[in-house]
Amino acid sequence: MTDGNADGSSGADDVADLARDLRAAARRSNQRRLLVVAGDDGDRVDRAAREALVAADCPPAETTLVGDRDLLDCERVSPDRAGRLLGTTGTAVVVDARDRLVPNALGSVVGAVDGGGLLLLLTPPLEAWPDLTDGFDESLAAPPFDAAEVTGRFRRRLVDTLRGRPGVAVFDADAGLAVETGGDVRDSTLTDESGDSGAGEPPADGRFPEAVYAAARTSDQRDAVAALERVAPAAPGSDPAPRAAVVEADRGRGKSSAAGLAAGAVAAAGGEVVVTAPGRANAREVLDRAGGTLDALDARECADSDGVAVRSTGGGSVRYRSPGVAEATATEPDLLVVDEAAALPVRRLAATLAAPRVVYATTVHGYEGTGRGFAVRFRDRLEEADHAVTEVRMDEPVRHAAGDPVERWAFDALLLDARPPVEPAVVDATPGSVRYRRLDRDALGEDRTLLRETFGLLARAHYRTEPDDLARLLDAPNVTVRALVTDSVGDSDGDGDGAAGHVVSVALLAREGGLSTERRAAMYEGERVRGHMVPDVLTSQLRDPEAGAPVGLRVLRIATHHAVRSRGLGSRLLGGVREEVAGDATDPGETAASDERRRGGVDYLSVGFGATPRLLSFWSANGFRTVHLSLSRNERSGEHSAVMLDGLAEAGRALADRHVRWFRERAASAASAPLSTVDPDVVRTALHAAGPTVGTDEGGPPDREWVPDLDLDEREWRLVAGAAYGPGLYQVRPAPFRRLAVAGLVDPARLLEADPERLLVAVVLQGRPADAVADRLGHHSAGECLRATGEALATLVDRYGGPTAERERKRYD
């Protein structure tokens, strides 16, 4: 390799010829090609990129730059806002990864290149890139670690995926020559698969006009339109039976176009169609195809000047509405289309089920970089709804030909199609047959199968798993990986450092806390400290200035293979983590903040998650206790977030004990205002996990009943007992009733069945109207609901009441 051209140029002729040939091959095959321009000299890289785009005939109006610097005369999008390119396409996308490589951004933009187009990736010299520190590394460095301690495994793996790959060329801008061509990158016959198999004949019984089906470019798209026809109303306002369709596809399969064809057909017949998506740009394809359909049917009347609506001569329309407006007006249109559904919060998706006819178009493999909320969480909501659901899967590419090398590269580099082990490999796994393993991250980076199984298991189980998480798993200095495996390879000493066999269950763990006095004070005063979620919540929100001192290990993700769930494997994995770290817990006499960089013991385990009764019960059964239930819903999951702790050492147990106690004290007042709409089962299950620990001073010895300190005076006991046994009303003074209810819900003795507990939460703690509670919980009337609530209160007064309560009870015997 030379030091560059003698005249100091960027090697324009070479890069121009290479880009021109790549673009020609891309056009002939209707696929995409990837050109990597690497170099240490920034000016040379910039010039090479400009010259490549000109030579490849990529107009600035059809080119998007994703990066932090304006180096091209075209649209520029920050890597943090790359998601706005979802649903859009152009001739070229240039990703400037020299300042920072953001995996989520790369995953979002790959699908934004049309067939016949180019993806340009601008990088430092490839040999040096993995060992450099960039801006994205800052986001992976949680104090006391800094960016220099972030490893380069993700970038090293990315570089490896570029080597010798068909359809990928690497140009060294410093030397002015192509150094990697992945075989013959100019070859337009990388695959013998055709990108357009034709749509075939329309269905014989189709209601949509033939012109709608004629516009379909593949048989998959035609079948999708036929499925959407079954969901669409036969006529505006007719057939109110709720129906839904789910259209799933990888990027570039034409799902948005299929939705647009159906939307146009409905509007032509006079129907009102609303399209929503994360942003207006994301809905452009649906609106464009809907307008084109009206044109083909000679039914377009006009379009709004801002392009957010088209109207038909039949009185119908297709219009875009933001997710918030679409949610609030879901019952109004004849058909609601939700495009890029996986990029919307689950709560918003759930609200769209109010629409009688709704279509969800969603990306399967997470190019959008926002997780898999649709597949993991929203599916359950959809199955519980009244809608008859039609499923559609689209595999044939529309934007480019099948076998596209850029798509194959992106799937490999970002593990977008990572899968857990095949079922036969793990189906016999039990807690007794698997082995607990510490997965060495160097081995993960080098073992393709192990990494794909591990990340595939996390992606399948968790709605928030995204490309950034792959980098975090491989490179973040405060993150470790633990797993249960069916066997192990290369681990003759049994210490768990060898490469693991098939992964059955996996946990991603992050070290938190152990912060210095100065950093804890800053956190208390409102400064955010990256990577310390639980200490931050306990310190800044719950006002505990010492919460950042103990060292915690937070469970970021835990997942068990779907074929072997409900066998106790998740609990077995947590037990292994607890056993591993408990032996290395902080000495009670050691000040956790004395050495902020201490890599030693762990004082507690923690977890934060979107609270559901099932998850709360799982973590409670594994020794975790509730310390916080957020006052607002998580934007992604649509649920209130819970934080739970499991104290291991003295400092961790003290932290957990005081925050569990404070949570109980807050519960009586918080449930009546910000948490008044939370599912009563979530509230009662969270309180179940906030009881006293048996065997401690608070919980008492195992052979004695727990006696709560309710702190009720004589008058308050008369009020409570009068409502429980006689004509008293809890509304007169709710506070003592709420303290009593909380005590009953946290009591380890479990004094009440589930339904009386729900009544205590809904009526007493949340203050919901009795008639609404009766409808929700299946009671015949508000009066019956209140009587049942009184009986639940009587059980608690019998257990905790003293002489005053007893005298009041005798009045009504």
Side-chain angles (χ1 to χ4, degrees):
M1 186 176 292
T2 66
D3 292 330
N5 292 350
D7 63 359
S9 73
S10 64
D13 291 341
D14 290 330
V15 75
D17 289 343
L18 183 58
R20 190 179 296 112
D21 289 342
L22 283 170
R23 180 77 198 284
R27 281 170 159 163
R28 288 193 299 269
S29 62
N30 191 33
Q31 296 176 338
R32 288 91 55 82
R33 295 293 186 267
L34 169 60
L35 173 59
V36 181
V37 180
D40 190 50
D41 188 324
D43 290 339
R44 289 183 178 227
V45 173
D46 292 351
R47 286 197 300 271
R50 295 188 194 102
E51 292 153 0
L53 290 169
V54 171
D57 190 24
C58 299
E62 299 174 15
T63 300
T64 299
L65 168 66
V66 179
D68 294 313
R69 293 180 288 174
D70 286 313
L71 57 98
L72 300 173
D73 184 21
C74 66
E75 174 192 35
R76 183 179 69 85
V77 176
S78 165
D80 299 322
R81 296 179 59 83
R84 61 169 289 194
L85 298 179
L86 292 172
T88 69
T89 57
T91 299
V93 172
V94 181
V95 178
D96 186 358
R98 291 171 294 175
D99 295 324
R100 53 177 175 146
L101 171 66
V102 180
N104 277 3
L106 186 59
S108 295
V109 305
V110 167
V113 181
D114 270 324
L118 291 184
L119 174 67
L120 270 68
L121 181 63
L122 312 185
T123 75
L126 295 185
E127 295 78 7
W129 194 18
D131 297 321
L132 300 178
T133 298
D134 72 7
F136 180 72
D137 292 343
E138 296 285 346
S139 70
L140 300 182
F145 302 98
D146 57 35
E149 294 176 273
V150 175
T151 62
R153 298 183 188 97
F154 176 82
R155 289 190 295 270
R156 182 171 295 108
R157 185 179 177 280
L158 183 76
V159 170
D160 288 343
T161 65
L162 294 168
R163 304 286 194 191
R165 182 177 290 271
V168 177
V170 179
F171 182 81
D172 186 333
D174 294 333
L177 52 84
V179 294
E180 291 278 348
T181 59
D184 187 358
V185 296
R186 299 163 176 81
D187 186 4
S188 63
T189 59
L190 290 172
T191 173
D192 58 5
E193 300 173 79
S194 170
D196 187 356
S197 59
E201 297 296 323
D205 57 349
R207 287 187 288 108
F208 286 170
E210 287 191 11
V212 175
Y213 287 100
R217 294 176 57 187
T218 65
S219 59
D220 269 3
Q221 198 170 69
R222 177 204 63 204
D223 293 343
V225 172
L228 299 185
E229 181 184 273
R230 294 192 292 272
V231 173
S238 68
D239 191 9
R243 296 181 184 175
V246 176
V247 184
E248 291 186 327
D250 294 333
R251 290 290 297 274
R253 268 56 182 174
K255 62 184 183 303
S256 297
S257 292
L261 292 171
V266 172
E272 295 290 333
V273 181
V274 166
V275 180
T276 191
R280 185 184 302 180
N282 306 128
R284 188 173 68 191
E285 181 70 13
V286 178
L287 293 170
D288 287 350
R289 290 309 298 269
T293 300
L294 291 176
D295 288 337
L297 298 174
D298 196 23
R300 185 200 287 255
E301 181 177 274
C302 63
D304 287 356
S305 59
D306 58 4
V308 299
V310 289
R311 293 181 175 83
S312 76
T313 56
S317 68
V318 181
R319 67 177 59 250
Y320 171 80
R321 284 180 175 169
S322 66
V325 175
E327 171 189 337
T329 59
T331 60
E332 296 178 5
D334 296 295
L335 180 67
L336 174 63
V337 176
V338 184
D339 201 14
E340 299 295 352
L344 290 175
V346 174
R347 179 181 58 81
R348 289 209 185 279
L349 291 173
T352 62
L353 286 171
R357 303 299 178 95
V358 58
V359 173
Y360 301 99
T362 180
T363 303
V364 175
H365 285 128
Y367 274 129
E368 55 270 59
T370 54
R372 302 180 68 249
F374 188 92
V376 176
R377 293 261 175 122
F378 182 61
R379 282 284 190 173
D380 293 340
R381 308 275 185 99
L382 187 57
E383 290 173 2
E384 294 169 359
D386 295 330
H387 295 64
V389 180
T390 299
E391 305 268 357
V392 182
R393 170 66 192 239
M394 301 176 66
D395 294 308
E396 295 178 75
V398 169
R399 295 178 184 171
H400 53 75
D404 177 74
V406 173
E407 180 177 74
R408 288 177 170 175
W409 167 76
F411 273 46
D412 186 17
L414 302 178
L415 293 185
L416 296 177
D417 59 347
R419 293 285 190 273
V422 295
E423 290 190 20
V426 300
V427 70
D428 295 326
T430 65
S433 67
V434 295
R435 300 187 68 184
Y436 176 79
R437 287 292 183 202
R438 180 175 59 250
L439 296 187
D440 178 80
R441 291 194 291 170
D442 284 331
L444 273 172
E446 296 168 3
D447 188 329
R448 292 171 60 89
T449 300
L450 178 61
L451 181 60
R452 290 182 72 85
E453 288 187 354
T454 301
F455 195 68
L457 200 56
L458 291 169
R460 179 159 183 156
H462 282 273
Y463 73 100
R464 292 181 64 183
T465 303
E466 52 197 16
D468 280 1
D469 287 315
L470 179 59
R472 184 169 292 106
L473 182 153
L474 291 172
D475 292 332
N478 68 320
V479 169
T480 57
V481 188
R482 300 293 183 267
L484 299 179
V485 297
T486 56
D487 55 63
S488 59
V489 179
D491 186 32
S492 58
D493 59 359
D495 67 358
D497 285 326
H502 295 298
V503 181
V504 175
S505 188
V506 62
L508 200 62
L509 311 171
R511 188 181 182 86
E512 297 187 330
L515 300 176
S516 66
T517 301
E518 294 77 12
R519 206 181 295 272
R520 297 201 311 273
M523 180 183 280
Y524 187 81
E525 293 166 6
E527 179 180 310
R528 300 301 300 270
V529 179
R530 182 188 299 115
H532 291 263
M533 187 274 281
V534 169
D536 182 63
V537 169
L538 303 186
T539 300
S540 62
Q541 294 187 35
L542 304 184
R543 312 310 295 159
D544 183 353
E546 300 304 316
V551 176
L553 196 62
R554 178 160 63 96
V555 183
L556 297 176
R557 303 278 194 274
I558 185 169
T560 297
H561 197 288
H562 60 278
V564 291
R565 288 179 186 157
S566 301
R567 296 185 186 179
L569 289 162
S571 298
R572 165 77 171 85
L573 178 56
L574 288 173
V577 172
R578 184 181 293 106
E579 290 173 10
E580 177 187 347
V581 301
D584 193 28
T586 305
D587 186 294
E590 180 181 3
T591 302
S594 62
D595 178 8
E596 193 181 41
R597 299 189 65 79
R598 179 169 55 84
R599 303 294 198 264
V602 173
D603 298 307
Y604 66 92
L605 301 178
S606 70
V607 66
F609 55 93
T612 66
R614 183 181 64 83
L615 288 177
L616 286 162
S617 296
F618 169 79
W619 289 103
S620 176
N622 282 281
F624 288 72
R625 304 167 70 200
T626 310
V627 299
H628 183 56
L629 195 60
S630 68
L631 300 182
S632 59
R633 294 182 184 273
N634 181 280
E635 185 66 11
R636 288 277 184 253
S637 70
E639 291 147 354
H640 292 263
S641 297
V643 176
M644 302 180 78
L645 303 183
D646 177 17
L648 303 178
E650 182 175 326
R653 287 190 291 270
L655 178 71
D657 285 346
R658 68 176 177 267
H659 278 278
V660 168
R661 184 175 68 254
W662 293 349
F663 174 69
R664 293 200 300 262
E665 293 170 357
R666 294 194 306 273
S669 58
S672 64
L675 299 179
S676 60
T677 61
V678 181
D679 181 353
D681 280 333
V682 168
V683 176
R684 72 184 189 89
T685 312
L687 286 169
H688 286 172
T693 301
V694 176
T696 65
D697 291 342
E698 183 189 18
D703 59 345
R704 290 180 54 187
E705 294 179 348
W706 176 59
V707 180
D709 181 11
L710 292 174
D711 193 28
L712 301 187
D713 59 29
E714 185 172 333
R715 177 171 175 270
E716 288 174 326
W717 273 118
R718 288 200 303 270
L719 284 170
V720 169
Y725 304 122
L729 298 174
Y730 81 93
Q731 295 94 333
V732 172
R733 189 173 179 182
F737 292 89
R738 290 172 178 162
R739 293 202 295 273
L740 180 66
V742 168
L745 290 165
V746 304
D747 195 324
R750 296 290 177 268
L751 304 175
L752 301 168
E753 298 294 330
D755 192 62
E757 286 189 340
R758 293 185 186 104
L759 288 170
L760 288 181
V761 172
V763 176
V764 178
L765 292 182
Q766 295 180 323
R768 299 190 189 192
D771 54 352
V773 175
D775 289 340
R776 181 185 178 103
L777 299 184
H779 291 270
H780 295 303
S781 65
E784 182 193 337
C785 176
L786 291 175
R787 283 192 295 273
T789 303
E791 292 170 4
L793 289 171
T795 299
L796 302 185
V797 174
D798 287 345
R799 176 66 175 265
Y800 308 132
T804 300
E806 177 64 15
R807 287 194 297 272
E808 191 73 16
R809 182 184 66 79
K810 288 181 177 179
R811 287 176 177 269
Y812 306 104
D813 282 349

